[in-house]
Amino acid sequence: MQKNIQTIRILALIALGLLVGTIFVFQSKSVAEAERAINRDMRINIFKEIEIVHQSNNDLRDQIEELEQELESIEDKESALENLRNQIEKYSIISGDVSVEGEGIRMIVDKEIEALWFTDIINEFYTAGAEAVMINGIRLTDENVGFDNIPNGKVLFNSVVLEA
């Protein structure tokens, strides 16, 4: 009986060894396939990255050419300084830091309109050359929140309710 138990143990160990060996073979094949897939993807990614770097390089060359042309267009330091002053003044007006005066357009909205239309109207004003826009006494600057539709056909702008 002792011999039968030993024989069964040996057979069980052999079966277990075969099972573990088979699992090992399948696992190693699966790892090899995964490595091949990753390497293939890495090669594709490398080509994409090279293409992106090449395009970025071309874009930078174009920017350099534009900057060189702009540099050539500025004849001397005085014209460059005047250009900077004009830009500072322009951005001061846009930011609302400087008061503006002059002829303007007064527009009265006497019907309910969506907030989206206010945005379109204001964009049209700026496209037409407006330096500043004011709505119900509120000057539009880069700090304004924007327009929102609220119930009863009203529009909210900078915490102020606009009505028809």
Side-chain angles (χ1 to χ4, degrees):
M1 177 135 160
Q2 192 83 345
K3 197 172 184 181
N4 284 341
I5 293 175
Q6 278 188 330
T7 305
I8 292 173
R9 282 184 183 171
I10 291 173
L11 288 176
L13 286 174
I14 290 172
L16 183 63
L18 288 173
L19 180 64
V20 169
T22 304
I23 291 172
F24 179 75
V25 168
F26 283 121
Q27 183 66 27
S28 65
K29 283 183 180 181
S30 144
V31 168
E33 287 177 19
E35 284 179 354
R36 272 183 273 156
I38 289 171
N39 286 336
R40 183 182 66 230
D41 288 343
M42 290 177 80
R43 277 186 251 129
I44 291 171
N45 288 340
I46 288 171
F47 288 124
K48 286 180 183 177
E49 288 179 21
I50 289 172
E51 185 178 326
I52 291 169
V53 168
H54 182 67
Q55 183 61 41
S56 297
N57 196 10
N58 288 339
D59 291 344
L60 288 172
R61 283 190 183 119
D62 292 343
Q63 286 180 355
I64 289 171
E65 286 179 23
E66 289 174 13
L67 289 172
E68 286 174 346
Q69 289 173 357
E70 187 176 330
L71 184 61
E72 289 173 5
S73 70
I74 298 174
E75 295 178 6
D76 59 6
K77 291 179 183 178
E78 187 58 39
S79 66
L81 185 59
E82 184 62 30
N83 187 19
L84 286 174
R85 285 185 188 132
N86 290 338
Q87 287 198 6
I88 289 171
E89 182 180 347
K90 174 184 167 185
Y91 290 120
S92 294
I93 291 172
I94 291 172
S95 69
D97 294 337
V98 175
S99 298
V100 292
E101 295 179 4
E103 296 181 31
I105 298 173
R106 182 181 183 125
M107 182 175 151
I108 298 173
V109 178
D110 59 356
K111 296 189 181 192
E112 295 175 0
I113 64 172
E114 296 285 322
L116 178 65
W117 288 103
F118 274 105
T119 304
D120 286 346
I121 291 168
I122 290 166
N123 285 337
E124 288 296 326
F125 285 148
Y126 282 120
T127 300
E131 292 180 350
V133 176
M134 184 180 284
I135 298 176
N136 285 3
I138 302 171
R139 174 101 173 263
L140 269 92
T141 66
D142 57 348
E143 295 179 4
N144 294 116
V145 178
F147 300 96
D148 289 318
N149 288 323
I150 57 175
N152 299 326
K154 297 178 183 176
V155 174
L156 185 68
F157 171 66
N158 252 27
S159 303
V160 174
V161 176
L162 305 177
E163 298 181 20

